Amino acid sequence: MYSVWERVKSGVSRFVQSRGFVAIIVFCVLSAILLQRVFYLQIVKGQEYLDDYKLQIQKTKEVQGTRGNIYDRNGKLLAYNELAYSVTIEDNGDYDSLKQKNKELNKVVSSVIQMVEANGDTVINNFGIILDNNNNYIYVAENDTQRLRFIADVFGKQSIDQLSKKQKHISAEGLVRYLCTDEVYGYGINQKKLSKEEVLKLVNVRYAISLNSYQKYISTTIAEDVSDETVADIMENLDTLQGVNVEEKSLRRYNDSYCFANMIGYTGQISQEEYDALSKEDQKKYDKNDTVGKSGLEKVMDNDLQGEKGELKLYVNNVGKVIETVKGKDPEAGNDLHLTIDADLQKAAYHILEQELAGILLAKIQNTLNYDRTQVEDGSDVIIPIGDVYHTFIGNDILDMNHFAEEDAGATEQEVSGIFTARKEAVKTELTQIFQDPNAAAYRDLSKEMQAYLTYLVTDILTTGSKVILSDNIDTNDATYKSWKEEESINVYTYLSYAISKNWIDTSLLKSYVSSNGDYSDSNELYQGIVSFLMDYIDSDSGFDKLVYKYLIKAGAVTGRQICMMLYEQNILEYDEAQYEGLNRGTIVPYDFIRGKIETLEITPGQLALEPCTGSMVATDPNTGEVLVCVSYPGYDNNRLANTMDSIYYNKLVTDKARPFYNNATQEKTAPGSTYKPLVAAAALTEGVVNTGTYLPCHGIYKKVDPNPKCWIYPLAHGSLNIEGAIENSCNCFFYETGYRMSLKDDGLTSITSDNEEGKETRTYYSSEQGLDTLKKYATMFGLGETSGLEIPESEPQISDDSSVPSAIGQGTNNYTTSQLARYITTVANKGNLFKLSLIDKVTTIDGEMVKDYTPEQENTLTDISSSTWTAVHNGMKKVISSAHPDMFAKLMASDVSLAGKTGTAQQSTTHPDHGLFVGFAPSESPEIAFAIRIANGYSSNYAAEVGRYVMEYYYGVTPTEEILTGHAAKITTSGGGD
């Protein structure tokens, strides 16, 4: 038996020889090393590492490639990139608390703003809230969806649905207050110490910084394209401006922006909404800080124009400050876009349209302050009173009416402000009396001025604006409602009291104006709340103020002299002391002064936003379908929207009554009028309802359908015409008859006599639906059943579905864009080749290698239309030029260039001028260019034809350029009659 000692020795020996012993030894050695290292780091070197340690984190920063250029068909640069200095900031400070962060960051941002503005530069202004004319915060968004998307971004929500009810209804002022004061997400901005303008600038920058809060190593732009003086100031103070830097950035630039903006569009930072709309595959290509195309070709062709992203390896410290940059993958430039557009022709067409519009205005403006256009029987007789011209300077925000009362306002501004203030108080008093009097006069018995105010208050404010009146709840067949809306036989007290009793009022919006806090048992209390709400509302409502000014001007209380002088005081016009003093002394007549400024285009039709103020032209190469011109007037400066958007300018464009954002070439639709007749002529000949030898009578009035439509020449008549003569003279009665004949079924066509004015024999055979179907077939053949093929957004066309007889002269419910009419007339010009139009020629690499060819697609060939039909149509269109308008086109006819064309006048209503249209092609024997022109509310097709004449004279060099592009209003030489 072993002794105890031997047993122990034996156990120890076995343990030492075991694997466990080895593991313990290894563990002890490693532990000793670790303890030694910890002791060294924390005790021996602790203070040193505490002072010098920086936690380095590697980040990858994507760098966007340079955006591709855009060229015209001749290689002229339309859109390009330019290096410019930008002031940026990184939120890389080390703060102990949110309060300290806000204090220090606001101090730095405020200092930078002061430096930037001191040198005449501007800080970013792309926040979704701006100040309106009444110094109130308002949303920039055009609709509720865009507004809610912006609010969701501010509150950090992925979708609109995640917003609470309170958040969805937050006012612009409430959202600014939230960003300034919220304890968790606020910027610590003292709204009491700063003006609203200063608050908004700070919020603009702070919000932009917050968008990069999780990527602090990505800089935020405070101001771009700054001057050398600003650069110098910033660089001299970098030691006190934490995170601020001056960087060289690539900015998008546009040449001749006004002429091309509606087609090319602009760029900007991608929005959450745009990012969410991308496919999952495309989302991998884009970052939420990327610059993308926001509209026009910039948006449509964004994938091609975008370059390949590069990468930078960054090392940042524990507060996100970049401490080292390692070069990574270089970015690659985007592809270049080559358009089919002829830039010189586009610019010429734009300015010719502007000159013609100015000429029409001058021909229609008359020296009267007041004018009732509802008394006019025909839109062509509508005039433009000078009172409307004076008022549009305020109504379309050319003059800043809020500045009238500012300390630095001019003498005339102060004078007008005093007149306005007194009158507005008087109007409010009178309105209050009307609202409070149950026995007040019925609406129809009030003055026109009071009617205008009440309509604005009830319709624009209570119903449309604030939605206090719930329009969806209204029974439009209700007798009391009809008495207010249609018969105008009751007063406003009766109507609103009745609306309350019928629960047409959203009481929740009036809580601040009643004591019952929403639980209303007293309808009178609610009524008084509505009145109080309205009186408070109009205290700061610019729309109501503009209405007061309108009637002050009509009454002569605010004079044309004062309006003209304020144009100088607010620097709308370049100061001219002699003219200013002449106006002041009365030696210069305001009426003549305004006309003179319109004549020299110092005041443009686009600014005035009167009728007419818009126009469009689309021209093509009829042999290829390539678009040479795509003009929409008025345009806008897309340089101010590209890169970092100018929100104030954007809002001005959105609210501008001339609608510069609206592409009149591709989005505005009107009836084509008589420009539709060549199509109907081709249809009638092909269907066999007439032939080239058929003569049809024109009696000035057409009696086969009721009500009896008239020819444009009525009470005169054209007599008997064949197809060519009908096109030449634009005879409505001839085309009424062709539309009628295409509507005859069974044996109706054989029952027609040569001069069957009453049409009694064929009435039983007449089917408007059949005629409409036939017209639709040919409209579709000519491409009017679909959009034209242009790569930018275009409105859907509308082929008439109402009454074949008026539809045959381009009326009915026919509605087409200028681009669609251009496609149709292109098909007429080339005798039946239907192309999908294109603005794009090709996409190439930066080195000129072809990426994609955009040769327009030929969609169809109209083989059913005979050569004799094409000859007849072309001959008729040539006679429009040579016989119907020989004086207008004398220069072209005397040259080697022959033109074929067709005028058209489309009626809108009796109180608005007609739309003027002109289509054509040249040379008529072998067309090289086809075009469509429209002047909305342009009174007469002759004015559109004059535009076509000047454009063709420019294009073919018939008249020297300086004689066409004069920079002055066109001298209107036509009477304005015709069709």
Side-chain angles (χ1 to χ4, degrees):
M1 177 177 287
Y2 292 108
S3 67
V4 174
W5 174 245
E6 289 176 334
R7 290 178 181 177
V8 171
K9 283 176 61 179
S10 176
V12 171
S13 176
R14 286 196 299 271
F15 174 71
V16 170
Q17 295 174 13
S18 70
R19 295 178 180 177
F21 179 76
V22 175
I24 291 171
I25 295 300
V26 171
F27 177 78
C28 291
V29 170
L30 291 176
S31 296
I33 294 170
L34 179 61
L35 287 171
Q36 185 272 339
R37 188 61 181 167
V38 169
F39 179 82
Y40 178 80
L41 290 175
Q42 293 192 349
I43 305 301
V44 179
K45 291 286 188 178
Q47 189 60 46
E48 180 180 343
Y49 283 128
L50 180 63
D51 294 337
D52 298 338
Y53 174 70
K54 290 180 180 179
L55 177 63
Q56 295 188 2
I57 305 173
Q58 186 187 70
K59 300 287 186 180
T60 299
K61 178 180 179 181
E62 291 186 326
V63 182
Q64 269 195 290
T66 304
R67 197 170 182 84
N69 294 333
I70 301 178
Y71 300 91
D72 87 329
R73 69 187 297 111
N74 299 310
K76 293 190 175 180
L77 198 57
L78 303 178
Y80 62 99
N81 308 288
E82 183 178 80
L83 289 176
Y85 290 118
S86 295
V87 180
T88 64
I89 187 170
E90 294 177 13
D91 179 15
N92 55 27
D94 188 7
Y95 314 109
D96 294 331
S97 64
L98 176 63
K99 183 177 180 181
Q100 183 195 10
K101 172 184 174 178
N102 283 332
K103 182 179 179 180
E104 294 186 14
L105 200 51
N106 289 342
K107 181 180 178 181
V108 169
V109 171
S110 296
S111 297
V112 172
I113 290 173
Q114 290 173 9
M115 290 179 192
V116 168
E117 294 185 338
N119 293 302
D121 296 318
T122 56
V123 296
I124 61 169
N125 185 29
N126 60 350
F127 189 55
I129 294 174
I130 61 171
L131 287 169
D132 67 7
N133 290 331
N134 297 307
N135 203 39
N136 294 322
Y137 295 115
I138 60 169
Y139 289 109
V140 177
E142 298 177 59
N143 54 54
D144 282 345
T145 301
Q146 291 177 344
R147 177 182 62 83
L148 290 172
R149 181 62 262 175
F150 167 68
I151 293 172
D153 289 342
V154 172
F155 283 110
K157 307 295 184 183
Q158 286 294 318
S159 68
I160 292 172
D161 295 336
Q162 293 176 342
L163 290 169
S164 67
K165 184 177 180 180
K166 182 179 180 181
Q167 288 171 335
K168 286 181 179 179
H169 291 94
I170 192 169
S171 65
E173 184 173 1
L175 196 61
V176 171
R177 187 185 309 114
Y178 163 81
L179 288 173
C180 289
T181 62
D182 187 79
E183 292 183 359
V184 178
Y185 300 105
Y187 305 145
I189 299 172
N190 191 327
Q191 292 178 278
K192 294 181 180 179
K193 289 187 177 181
L194 301 174
S195 68
K196 286 186 174 181
E197 185 179 8
E198 291 170 327
V199 168
L200 197 55
K201 288 175 185 176
L202 262 177
V203 169
N204 255 290
V205 178
R206 288 297 310 274
Y207 179 71
I209 294 172
S210 72
L211 296 177
N212 292 328
S213 59
Y214 297 104
Q215 295 174 298
K216 295 186 177 183
Y217 53 90
I218 295 178
S219 61
T220 298
T221 300
I222 297 180
E224 62 184 16
D225 196 16
V226 296
S227 64
D228 292 340
E229 289 77 13
T230 295
V231 172
D233 284 350
I234 296 295
M235 298 303 290
E236 288 174 8
N237 292 277
L238 281 182
D239 57 332
T240 61
L241 300 175
Q242 173 68 38
V244 176
N245 198 6
V246 174
E247 298 180 16
E248 205 171 35
K249 289 194 171 185
S250 178
L251 301 181
R252 196 64 162 169
R253 303 293 196 201
Y254 302 100
N255 288 322
D256 300 297
S257 57
Y258 281 84
C259 302
F260 297 95
N262 276 293
M263 176 178 59
I264 291 179
Y266 57 92
T267 62
Q269 186 174 333
I270 191 170
S271 67
Q272 183 68 48
E273 186 178 13
E274 289 168 328
Y275 183 81
D276 292 342
L278 295 172
S279 65
K280 289 185 178 180
E281 184 178 345
D282 282 340
Q283 284 183 351
K284 296 176 182 177
K285 302 176 186 176
Y286 290 89
D287 185 86
K288 294 181 183 179
N289 290 300
D290 283 350
T291 295
V292 298
K294 304 289 281 189
S295 71
L297 289 170
E298 288 276 30
K299 180 176 182 179
V300 172
M301 302 300 292
D302 189 69
N303 274 329
D304 290 282
L305 292 165
Q306 287 277 5
E308 289 289 329
K309 291 183 178 179
E311 290 182 351
L312 284 177
K313 299 293 184 182
L314 305 176
Y315 291 92
V316 299
N317 64 13
N318 59 328
V319 293
K321 185 174 182 179
V322 177
I323 56 178
E324 186 180 356
T325 301
V326 179
K327 188 175 181 180
K329 177 185 173 185
D330 289 330
E332 295 180 14
N335 293 322
D336 291 336
L337 186 62
H338 300 260
L339 307 184
T340 61
I341 294 295
D342 183 325
D344 290 340
L345 186 60
Q346 172 102 356
K347 289 186 287 183
Y350 182 91
H351 294 300
I352 288 168
L353 270 169
E354 183 173 65
Q355 291 173 181
E356 189 72 20
L357 285 164
I360 299 170
L361 289 176
L362 290 176
K364 300 301 178 180
I365 291 173
Q366 293 188 16
N367 195 11
T368 179
L369 292 177
N370 214 342
Y371 175 71
D372 185 1
R373 63 170 58 194
T374 63
Q375 303 304 309
V376 177
E377 294 183 1
D378 192 283
S380 61
D381 296 327
V382 171
I383 68 161
I384 303 171
I386 192 63
D388 284 2
V389 181
Y390 294 150
H391 177 255
T392 198
F393 287 107
I394 293 175
N396 202 35
D397 297 319
I398 301 170
L399 285 169
D400 180 3
M401 60 183 176
N402 290 315
H403 192 264
F404 297 171
E406 297 291 333
E407 291 183 3
D408 61 342
T412 312
E413 291 180 271
Q414 295 176 28
E415 183 182 334
V416 169
S417 177
I419 296 169
F420 166 78
T421 301
R423 178 56 187 159
K424 185 175 180 179
E425 286 304 311
V427 167
K428 286 181 64 178
T429 299
E430 189 172 350
L431 285 170
T432 301
Q433 292 171 350
I434 291 172
F435 274 106
Q436 299 293 2
D437 185 1
N439 300 312
Y443 178 92
R444 66 188 177 196
D445 297 325
L446 295 171
S447 67
K448 291 288 185 184
E449 181 177 1
M450 282 300 130
Q451 286 180 351
Y453 294 140
L454 288 177
T455 297
Y456 184 82
L457 294 174
V458 175
T459 303
D460 292 43
I461 295 179
L462 288 180
T463 308
T464 305
S466 67
K467 295 182 172 55
V468 167
I469 295 179
L470 300 166
S471 57
D472 291 341
N473 289 10
I474 295 175
D475 177 6
T476 55
N477 294 315
D478 184 276
T480 302
Y481 177 77
K482 285 187 173 182
S483 295
W484 168 257
K485 191 71 175 178
E486 299 173 12
E487 300 165 11
E488 302 177 349
S489 58
I490 60 175
N491 60 33
V492 69
Y493 183 97
T494 302
Y495 172 64
L496 290 180
S497 297
Y498 186 76
I500 293 169
S501 71
K502 301 297 288 185
N503 294 319
W504 295 349
I505 305 296
D506 186 347
T507 58
S508 67
L509 299 175
L510 299 169
K511 291 181 179 179
S512 301
Y513 295 91
V514 292
S515 60
S516 305
N517 197 29
D519 184 16
Y520 305 115
S521 56
D522 185 351
S523 61
N524 182 62
E525 182 184 13
L526 182 54
Y527 181 84
Q528 296 303 324
I530 292 175
V531 175
S532 298
F533 167 80
L534 285 173
M535 293 304 110
D536 279 356
Y537 194 101
I538 62 178
D539 276 342
S540 59
D541 180 58
S542 61
F544 187 81
D545 290 350
K546 290 175 181 178
L547 201 54
V548 174
Y549 273 114
K550 177 179 180 178
Y551 283 94
L552 282 171
I553 290 169
K554 282 177 176 287
V558 170
T559 66
R561 176 190 67 84
Q562 291 169 322
I563 296 292
C564 295
M565 292 177 70
M566 289 191 297
L567 291 174
Y568 282 124
E569 291 180 356
Q570 289 198 5
N571 298 315
I572 307 300
L573 296 174
E574 186 176 346
Y575 186 72
D576 185 318
E577 184 177 1
Q579 288 196 321
Y580 182 83
E581 291 301 325
L583 286 164
N584 192 31
R585 292 192 302 268
T587 56
I588 294 179
V589 179
Y591 174 76
D592 296 332
F593 174 84
I594 289 294
R595 289 182 63 89
K597 296 305 178 184
I598 295 172
E599 200 278 329
T600 58
L601 297 179
E602 292 174 80
I603 296 170
T604 67
Q607 284 179 293
L608 294 175
L610 299 166
E611 292 180 342
C613 65
T614 65
S616 58
M617 177 176 183
V618 176
T620 69
D621 179 342
N623 301 301
T624 65
E626 294 179 343
V627 176
L628 305 175
V629 168
C630 186
V631 166
S632 175
Y633 180 89
Y636 60 92
D637 186 359
N638 47 357
N639 287 298
R640 295 181 64 178
L641 303 181
N643 310 304
T644 302
M645 177 180 286
D646 183 339
S647 294
I648 294 175
Y649 181 63
Y650 177 86
N651 188 67
K652 171 71 173 71
L653 296 176
V654 169
T655 58
D656 194 315
K657 294 179 180 179
R659 303 181 307 172
F661 264 150
Y662 192 69
N663 193 326
N664 296 296
T666 63
Q667 293 176 300
E668 181 184 52
K669 295 192 297 185
T670 68
S674 294
T675 63
Y676 201 63
K677 289 174 180 175
L679 182 153
V680 178
L685 289 169
T686 305
E687 290 294 310
V689 299
V690 297
N691 59 50
T692 54
T694 301
Y695 281 79
L696 299 177
C698 171
H699 300 283
I701 188 168
Y702 189 76
K703 296 184 178 180
K704 290 187 179 181
V705 294
D706 293 315
N708 302 151
K710 298 180 178 65
C711 188
W712 68 267
I713 202 173
Y714 182 83
L716 301 178
H718 286 114
S720 293
L721 298 169
N722 65 2
I723 199 84
E724 291 183 14
I727 294 174
E728 171 193 343
N729 293 282
S730 198
C731 178
N732 287 351
C733 287
F734 185 99
F735 287 98
Y736 289 146
E737 178 65 13
T738 60
Y740 184 81
R741 291 187 177 195
M742 283 187 279
S743 304
L744 296 179
K745 56 186 178 179
D746 302 328
D747 296 325
L749 193 59
T750 61
S751 303
I752 291 176
T753 62
S754 61
D755 191 7
N756 188 17
E757 187 180 339
E758 295 290 339
K760 293 176 182 176
E761 292 88 342
T762 55
R763 275 182 191 161
T764 56
Y765 303 101
Y766 176 72
S767 169
S768 179
E769 289 74 19
Q770 177 175 305
L772 287 169
D773 287 343
T774 303
L775 289 170
K776 181 178 181 178
K777 180 178 78 171
Y778 284 89
T780 303
M781 286 170 59
F782 279 88
L784 291 174
E786 61 184 0
T787 53
S788 68
L790 294 182
E791 291 82 1
I792 56 179
E794 184 176 355
S795 299
E796 290 291 330
Q798 181 179 348
I799 298 174
S800 181
D801 59 0
D802 181 25
S803 188
S804 59
V805 169
S807 296
I809 67 161
Q811 294 293 151
T813 56
N814 281 306
N815 268 296
Y816 308 107
T817 65
T818 307
S819 53
Q820 288 151 13
L821 293 178
R823 186 191 190 200
Y824 139 61
I825 211 64
T826 295
T827 309
V828 172
N830 63 37
K831 297 183 179 180
N833 295 321
L834 178 65
F835 290 100
K836 277 189 171 294
L837 302 186
S838 178
L839 293 164
I840 303 172
D841 176 22
K842 60 187 176 182
V843 175
T844 67
T845 66
I846 192 172
D847 298 321
E849 294 180 12
M850 180 73 73
V851 174
K852 185 175 180 181
D853 183 10
Y854 278 81
T855 299
E857 172 190 350
Q858 184 172 332
E859 192 175 65
N860 193 16
T861 302
L862 280 57
T863 55
D864 293 341
I865 299 177
S866 67
S867 60
S868 62
T869 293
W870 289 121
T871 298
V873 170
H874 279 219
N875 285 343
M877 293 180 71
K878 285 189 277 188
K879 290 178 180 178
V880 169
I881 304 301
S882 61
S883 300
H885 299 88
D887 294 338
M888 184 187 299
F889 297 100
K891 275 192 174 183
L892 280 169
M893 289 190 294
S895 71
D896 294 331
V897 181
S898 58
L899 179 67
K902 184 69 195 81
T903 55
T905 303
Q907 188 180 57
Q908 177 176 331
S909 72
T910 58
T911 58
H912 293 275
D914 298 335
H915 306 301
L917 300 99
F918 182 60
V919 298
F921 51 88
S924 55
E925 296 79 13
S926 181
E928 300 168 342
I929 183 170
F931 57 84
I933 297 165
R934 170 166 40 224
I935 300 178
N937 303 116
Y939 286 89
S940 167
S941 59
N942 286 338
Y943 300 137
E946 283 191 346
V947 172
R949 160 204 167 185
Y950 288 124
V951 172
M952 289 299 98
E953 288 182 7
Y954 171 87
Y955 186 64
Y956 285 106
V958 173
T959 302
T961 300
E962 62 271 15
E963 293 182 21
I964 297 173
L965 304 178
T966 63
H968 287 71
K971 291 180 170 54
I972 300 299
T973 57
T974 60
S975 63
D979 188 27

